[in-house]
DNA sequence: GTGAAAGCGCTAACAC
DNA sequence: GTGTTAGCGCTTTCAC
């Protein structure tokens, strides 16, 4: 017995046909005479032959693999994006080559460039500005970005960040809050859009937004930022957080500091992470449709690979999920 | 300009050397005369040449890719496993080919078999029994399983499930609870170990364990199971849940049903999911070291690929994290 | 319908 | 040090 798996040649020899015939049989490219087909079937089965995907990829130039580069798989937004992308990929017989860049912009480019030649296309999430993302155009592979881009000719699936915070701010204004703070994550390129949205809503009411920042989009960062926001000279009545994780950390720490939630301060997040439903008070948030984002991005890429024309960029719409962490001002 | 990326031949032609020389240069296999080295460097840079990893893999038989098959990326245990595995992989210049099998045992085998020929090794999590996992031995690639296996010669990184629930049960006994229930997930092969651990602790005290089951390891399933446990004829004083998600759902629903937590019922989970810290009461749990599990599994695989002898299977030890969801019986 | 032959881009002996 | 050569396992014209 030869070492390793049987090759197409072994099958050809056993069936008494040429390798070309075996190839066509395995790929279902052609019809065969019953006699040959039977021999082929026998040989393939008794040998347990499976074609080598690497060799095939080298010729066809297709790997049936999609590269997915995200910033942090433990961030529930990205967890759901990957979930959605994986689902659609599997349906179309694609597999994910996943890279978690760990919010490390320095590593990002080299890792993605190393990924590109091994995949048919890429789905990328990056904190980089559009100028800093120019190089992605040179990857020579179809790319879908997980956020709206204007200046660059890269297909994308984005989210209306401006509207999201606008809606949250309006929600809070409707509840009677006047002094509203935004606890953001400045390193994210979309942070400015979120600030703009909240600011616009407040401006309409003749109010100003109080902007704070965290060093990471995590619960821990939210905890750390809390005292700065709540014990400063000008305590807000309500706080809009960059995401649900920050909101969760913020709420926990606020309670530790002796504030009653939501009476003393209303808090809202963005993402609709599962856990917002299980904390107390349950978290008012914006559904960012993360899983749908992953699905649509993957579908867009697969369509592009199938030669379909790009149906245009997508902007997912925010949906407010009002829960108990935001209440009318006493 | 030729279409597509430049090949090793283009570089060879431009530098006026043979393709073999270019190959050796690119792989740093050998030293060169300064003159040749300079020409090589020039050619590679001006052409922007990058070697085709597929072609290389075909010859070397190495893809620098590790297949990771998990059951559900949105389950925080697996999210952390992937996080840990990704970290170690990146350090060693490997990439993850990820498959989320969506808790679908029927699909599992075919997906993993399709994965195998494209990777250097695999990390697999499966609910299948050892008998049902026999086929993994025939993958012809090094495999590391994410749980202890006894009957099969597959290297693994497991967790002492029996001890975990034993510890939780003892913790609850120490708090004065006598009537303790276990809310499990029967489809998991490790569920029996968890039952056995809790049962053993109770048996030592001359008590019996009240066993219930859920249909999924999710918060929703925990919610659904709650009334069955809490409104049955024999209400428990404390509940040990299969994991933190089930515990979270259970606690939420128990509150809805009018129970005061933790006074009316103590609840504990397993995994140490981030969110257990942010719910109220904060969740007593067992740290299952999920991220470490991912790291160790990847390290084990990389060691195996480097030809190192297997250092033996690993069993991670549970660590109790006592929080507010478990209190002394009133 | 079936097969012969060329070659995808690269590495690994082995000469020189 | 550098080049020649022989493939890796497969697909794909293009004859027959």
């Amino acid at each position: 017995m030869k070492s390793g798996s049987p090759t197409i040649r072994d099958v050809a020899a056993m069936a008494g046909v040429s390798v070309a015939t075996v190839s066509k049989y395995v790929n279902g490219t052609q019809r065969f005479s019953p006699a040959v087909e039977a021999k082929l079937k026998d040989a393939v089965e008794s040998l347990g032959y499976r074609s080598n995907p690497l060799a095939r990829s080298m010729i066809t130039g297709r790997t049936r693999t999609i590269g997915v580069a995200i910033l942090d798989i433990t961030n529930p937004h990205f967890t759901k994006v990957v979930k959605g992308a994986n689902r659609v990929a599997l349906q179309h017989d694609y597999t994910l080559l996943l890279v978690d860049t760990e919010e490390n912009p320095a590593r990002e480019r080299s890792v993605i460039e190393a990924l590109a030649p091994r995949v048919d296309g890429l789905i990328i999430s990056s904190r980089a500005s559009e100028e800093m993302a120019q190089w992605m155009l040179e990857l020579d592979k179809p790319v879908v970005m997980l956020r709206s881009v204007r200046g660059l000719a890269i297909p994308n699936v984005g989210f209306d960040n401006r509207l999201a915070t606008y809606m949250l701010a309006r929600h809070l204004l409707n509840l009677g809050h006047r002094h509203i703070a935004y606890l953001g994550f400045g390193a994210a390129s979309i942070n400015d859009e979120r600030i703009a949205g909240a600011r616009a809503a407040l401006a309409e009411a003749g109010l100003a937004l109080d902007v704070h920042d965290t060093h990471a989009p995590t619960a821990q960062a939210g905890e750390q930022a809390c005292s700065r926001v709540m014990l400063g000279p000008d305590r807000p009545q309500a706080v809009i957080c960059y995401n649900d994780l920050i909101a969760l950390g913020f709420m926990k720490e606020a309670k530790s500091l002796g504030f009653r939630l939501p009476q003393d301060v209303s808090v809202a997040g963005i993402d609709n992470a599962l856990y917002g439903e299980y904390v107390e008070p349950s978290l008012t948030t914006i559904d960012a449709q993360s899983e749908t984002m992953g699905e649509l991005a993957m579908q867009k890429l697969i369509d592009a690979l199938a030669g379909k024309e790009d149906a245009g960029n997508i902007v997912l719409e925010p949906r407010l999920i009002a829960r108990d962490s935001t209440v009318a001002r006493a």
Side-chain angles (χ1 to χ4, degrees), chain A:
Chain A
M1 169 168 170
K2 267 170 59 182
S3 71
S5 335
T7 77
I8 197 171
R9 259 184 282 273
D10 299 329
V11 179
M14 183 162 184
V17 298
S18 74
V19 292
T21 303
V22 178
S23 171
K24 287 163 193 157
Y25 171 73
V26 169
N27 293 304
T29 314
Q30 199 187 268
R31 292 199 59 75
F32 297 89
S33 64
V36 173
E37 174 137 17
K39 282 193 294 182
L40 248 13
K41 187 160 177 292
D42 266 19
V44 166
E45 281 177 7
S46 74
L47 255 36
Y49 170 73
R50 322 196 58 133
S51 85
N52 180 331
L54 258 59
R56 170 195 265 122
S57 291
M58 232 181 59
I59 297 173
T60 62
R62 301 301 217 76
T63 63
R64 297 213 78 81
T65 301
I66 302 295
V68 177
I70 53 160
L71 301 162
D72 176 13
I73 187 67
T74 63
N75 179 324
H77 167 65
F78 293 115
T79 312
K80 289 201 272 183
V81 165
V82 170
K83 185 78 180 177
N86 175 78
R87 177 173 309 122
V88 174
L90 244 45
Q91 278 164 9
H92 296 265
D93 205 27
Y94 278 88
T95 314
L96 306 189
L97 202 51
L98 179 79
V99 173
D100 179 329
T101 57
E102 308 209 317
E103 297 270 2
N104 182 343
R107 174 195 286 168
E108 191 174 85
R109 178 167 181 175
S110 66
V111 167
I112 294 177
E113 284 181 340
L115 208 56
R118 311 168 60 191
V119 300
D120 293 346
L122 296 118
I123 293 177
I124 301 178
S125 182
S126 167
R127 303 251 181 256
S129 66
E130 295 195 10
E131 302 85 65
M132 303 286 359
Q134 289 270 9
W135 58 268
M136 292 182 195
L137 290 167
E138 257 118 75
L139 286 175
D140 228 42
K141 289 280 165 68
V143 172
V144 172
M145 290 220 62
L146 292 175
R147 74 156 191 253
S148 298
V149 293
R150 279 165 171 58
L152 255 43
I154 302 181
N156 58 76
V157 180
F159 173 67
D160 196 335
N161 289 291
R162 198 172 188 286
L163 182 55
T165 44
Y166 181 90
M167 286 167 59
L168 283 174
R170 289 234 38 101
H171 168 64
L172 293 168
L173 287 168
N174 290 344
L175 290 173
H177 297 286
R178 315 300 290 164
H179 184 181
I180 298 174
Y182 172 74
L183 179 53
F185 171 49
S189 53
I190 55 172
N191 194 51
D192 287 345
E193 300 170 27
R194 296 198 174 172
I195 291 175
R199 193 166 266 158
L202 291 195
E204 289 171 11
L207 299 169
L209 181 71
D210 188 13
V211 177
H212 296 263
D213 202 55
T214 54
H215 68 275
T218 62
Q220 213 194 0
E223 283 184 64
Q224 288 170 10
C226 182
S227 57
R228 226 163 53 231
V229 176
M230 292 298 288
L231 301 180
D234 216 23
R235 196 178 103 206
Q237 296 157 347
V239 181
I240 297 171
C241 298
Y242 173 80
N243 69 8
D244 286 353
L245 287 182
I246 291 175
L248 256 41
F250 183 91
M251 289 205 291
K252 183 191 176 199
E253 180 67 8
K255 286 194 247 179
S256 292
L257 296 175
F259 294 101
R260 292 163 308 152
L261 267 65
Q263 303 95 310
D264 291 340
V265 61
S266 282
V267 178
I270 296 178
D271 270 357
N272 193 21
L274 174 67
Y275 305 92
E277 209 176 323
Y278 296 93
V279 296
E280 203 152 330
S282 60
L283 182 65
T284 291
T285 187
I286 293 273
D287 185 5
Q289 301 191 61
S290 311
E291 202 162 327
T292 304
M293 179 177 272
E295 288 176 351
L296 292 176
M298 184 57 73
Q299 191 61 60
K300 207 181 208 356
L301 206 45
I302 289 175
D303 285 350
L305 291 171
K308 296 192 194 158
E309 209 180 330
D310 189 22
N313 296 331
I314 297 168
V315 179
L316 293 168
E317 293 300 322
R319 191 168 62 88
L320 180 72
I321 299 182
R323 298 209 188 94
D324 304 335
S325 65
T326 49
V327 291
R329 192 178 157 204

